Amino acid sequence: MNLPHASPIFWKVFAFQTCRGMWVARDVPARYLLRLGQGEQELATDLDFSRQGRVNAMLVRRIELLTEVERLAKLLNQPEDVGYTCATAGYFWLHVYSRWEQFLAACEQNREKPNFVKDRFPFQEFFSGTPKPVFTGESFEADMRSAMGCFRHLKTMLQ
């Protein structure tokens, strides 16, 4: 296959999947997409898939995550300066992880209490802005699945 002749085809596939949200449907965040070459202007989206656009998108994402780290630190009564850099946020992860381990140890002894996760989840205030409550208090197993999902979010945010 001659690459110069195939380039317009690749561009059309990229444009089609980006405009239709195919990358999102496949759980590929837009920040991981990079379009090299010409033709970015033809894409019917406000996202910039050039090298500079991807760098800018990563810097914006970095600021968003560090703001969330500062918010979490404030809610945990920790110094907010852990959100100044990615390195300090990485160290803060150790603090968050130790709270998570303490919570898991306490859960092992209280599986028969359906309200335990709802009452003792250490990061509940951080997730209080969700449209519907994260924990119902009706089932230990269901609330524990929600807690694991919350922890995955924190892990993604801090690592």
Side-chain angles (χ1 to χ4, degrees), residues 23-62:
W23 300 114
V24 175
R26 290 188 172 88
D27 293 330
V28 178
R31 65 181 176 269
Y32 295 124
L33 300 176
L34 171 65
R35 170 68 173 117
L36 298 176
Q38 300 175 358
E40 292 128 8
Q41 299 81 15
E42 297 173 18
L43 189 59
T45 181
D46 55 350
L47 297 174
D48 184 3
F49 290 101
S50 67
R51 289 181 195 149
Q52 186 64 37
R54 297 297 84 206
V55 169
N56 289 340
M58 292 302 284
L59 290 174
V60 167
R61 178 74 174 148
R62 176 185 169 270

Side-chain angles (χ1 to χ4, degrees), residues 134-149:
V134 177
F135 306 111
T136 62
E138 297 172 3
S139 164
F140 178 87
E141 290 77 20
D143 283 352
M144 198 60 196
R145 280 192 300 274
S146 295
M148 293 288 198

Side-chain angles (χ1 to χ4, degrees), residues 66-129:
L66 289 176
T67 302
E68 287 295 295
V69 169
E70 286 178 1
R71 186 171 73 90
L72 178 61
K74 185 177 181 181
L75 293 172
L76 296 177
N77 296 322
Q78 297 296 312
E80 294 178 39
D81 62 352
V82 297
Y84 287 167
T85 67
C86 294
T88 56
Y91 292 127
F92 180 61
W93 163 249
L94 299 174
H95 178 77
V96 169
Y97 190 71
S98 70
R99 285 187 182 221
W100 175 251
E101 286 183 327
Q102 291 170 1
F103 169 71
L104 288 180
C107 283
E108 287 298 321
Q109 302 166 356
N110 294 286
R111 289 189 172 276
E112 66 282 348
K113 299 177 183 174
N115 283 336
F116 186 79
V117 175
K118 181 180 179 182
D119 296 338
R120 299 285 303 270
F121 185 66
F123 315 108
Q124 188 167 6
E125 195 173 345
F126 183 76
F127 294 100
S128 64

